[in-house]
Amino acid sequence: MKKFKKFYLEITSICNLACSFCPPTERQKQFISIEDFSKRLDEIKPYTDFVYLHVKGEPLLHPKIDQLLDLCHEKGFKVNITTNGTLINKNKHKLLGKPALRQMNFSLHSFDGHPGSVDKEGYVTSVLSFIKEATSQSELIVSLRLWNLTQDNMTNLERQRNRELLEIIENEFNLEYKIEEKVTPGSGVKIADRIYINQDYEFQWPALHEEEDDGKGFCYGLRNQAGILANGVVIPCCLDGEGIINLGNINDKSFSEIIEGERATNIVEGFSRREAVEELCRKCGYRKRFGK
């Protein structure tokens, strides 16, 4: 049976920020129910051991995130959460001591990406305070993400924004170097035990209105990852934030039936030929990272 290294279970389509790099979803605003979440875990159990509680939306907005983590532990899953970190103080009591929680990724670029953000130092120090507490009492892995680099030269304002944020981190962890001097785009630097900082270029969500390329290339969608949106739509990868490649709905069919269906099979077989058969895939720049 096919095993996925990553399985994305979106628990809410709602976000508390409006970042410039993340187009808002046009889907219905919703939170997954405990009952539906439990059913989905049972459906995907034969296919993966790791769940990622996001596609779009801010997972820490879910009022029952602690119960979702408990369910994951009961059913034998390890959990990764990607968050903008703005709600960490409000929710840390729901996260600390949860054995299912394997890794947390903090999208620190959200602060400058969201118009109207205030108190950068307060924001960063609250994230770092949680990280220090959580890693001291568990084996939690943490990635601090700054994914706002540009391919051309950044403006002085952009550099200054990043420097302010990185300086807070350097001071908090008593680093004797500037993080920019150590990190290369797309890779991470270990700044403490199980704590890493990753800088990368600004992420572009694929969209049907983008220009189509020749469709050549390879992707790991449906090979090492798949996902289910909050509304039940099964998607081939975490980049299909609107469910454009709708493989079927978990509320109507079993996951095994959906993943073995014609559309899913065509995607996998197409990439075996180094060919993108879906329009959205031909408009996804991420595919180019894997070469031809």
Side-chain angles (χ1 to χ4, degrees):
M1 182 175 287
K2 182 182 294 187
K3 276 276 192 178
F4 298 106
K5 293 180 181 177
K6 301 177 181 179
F7 204 103
Y8 295 87
L9 282 181
E10 185 186 72
I11 60 175
T12 180
S13 57
I14 306 168
C15 190
N16 62 321
L17 300 184
C19 296
S20 58
F21 55 82
C22 187
T25 180
E26 297 174 7
R27 293 182 281 117
Q28 177 186 354
K29 290 180 167 63
Q30 65 185 121
F31 293 101
I32 194 170
S33 69
I34 297 294
E35 182 184 8
D36 283 345
F37 186 75
S38 180
K39 287 178 182 175
R40 290 176 196 185
L41 289 179
D42 290 339
E43 286 275 350
I44 67 172
K45 182 57 185 170
Y47 296 90
T48 190
D49 300 315
F50 300 94
V51 291
Y52 292 63
L53 301 186
H54 64 279
V55 176
K56 286 288 188 76
E58 168 51 53
L60 297 192
L61 271 177
H62 199 294
K64 297 179 179 177
I65 182 74
D66 49 347
Q67 294 179 47
L68 301 184
L69 288 170
D70 289 341
L71 265 177
C72 288
H73 179 60
E74 288 170 22
K75 295 178 185 290
F77 290 94
K78 288 296 183 181
V79 177
N80 287 38
I81 291 177
T82 294
T83 172
N84 58 45
T86 56
L87 303 173
I88 197 65
N89 278 345
K90 184 178 178 181
N91 288 280
K92 69 177 185 177
H93 66 286
K94 297 181 180 181
L95 303 171
L96 293 171
K98 295 298 184 185
L101 193 54
R102 173 187 173 271
Q103 180 168 333
M104 288 193 69
N105 308 312
F106 290 88
S107 299
L108 299 183
H109 47 282
S110 301
F111 184 90
D112 288 320
H114 174 71
S117 292
V118 293
D119 190 14
K120 179 181 286 187
E121 185 168 2
Y123 162 69
V124 178
T125 53
S126 69
V127 169
L128 299 184
S129 173
F130 167 81
I131 287 170
K132 288 181 176 181
E133 185 174 357
T135 54
S136 70
Q137 58 184 246
S138 73
E139 294 301 306
L140 182 70
I141 301 166
V142 173
S143 171
L144 298 169
R145 294 177 172 178
L146 201 54
W147 289 4
N148 62 356
L149 302 180
T150 53
Q151 295 286 355
D152 50 5
N153 291 326
M154 298 179 76
T155 66
N156 287 334
L157 175 60
E158 289 169 328
R159 283 200 200 90
Q160 180 60 27
R161 284 174 172 174
N162 280 1
R163 178 90 295 272
E164 290 168 359
L165 192 149
L166 294 171
E167 190 170 354
I168 298 169
I169 297 172
E170 289 160 2
N171 290 337
E172 284 286 330
F173 286 93
N174 298 314
L175 302 182
E176 296 179 350
Y177 56 85
K178 287 189 174 182
I179 291 169
E180 304 100 309
E181 297 168 356
K182 298 274 188 178
V183 72
T184 55
S187 64
V189 169
K190 184 177 181 179
I191 60 173
D193 188 29
R194 289 174 280 110
I195 302 174
Y196 302 83
I197 186 156
N198 299 80
Q199 283 198 270
D200 208 340
Y201 297 110
E202 183 172 314
F203 175 74
Q204 297 291 328
W205 287 88
L208 292 179
H209 62 75
E210 298 292 342
E211 190 174 342
E212 191 168 311
D213 61 23
D214 61 8
K216 301 296 183 185
F218 182 77
C219 181
Y220 288 99
L222 294 179
R223 273 187 160 78
N224 73 1
Q225 67 166 278
I228 305 175
L229 298 176
N231 60 12
V233 169
V234 176
I235 52 175
C237 73
C238 63
L239 305 187
D240 187 4
E242 290 302 292
I244 292 167
I245 306 176
N246 183 341
L247 301 177
N249 196 298
I250 200 73
N251 298 320
D252 305 323
K253 295 180 180 179
S254 69
F255 180 74
S256 59
E257 188 179 356
I258 293 170
I259 210 67
E260 291 163 11
E262 182 179 2
R263 193 170 188 180
T265 300
N266 287 342
I267 291 171
V268 174
E269 291 180 350
F271 281 125
S272 293
R273 303 189 301 270
R274 301 300 188 267
E275 177 186 332
V277 299
E278 291 281 347
E279 181 183 359
L280 187 70
C281 299
R282 295 193 294 271
K283 296 179 175 181
C284 178
Y286 204 84
R287 191 182 78 251
K288 296 169 185 174
R289 296 189 178 198
F290 307 114
K292 295 280 182 150

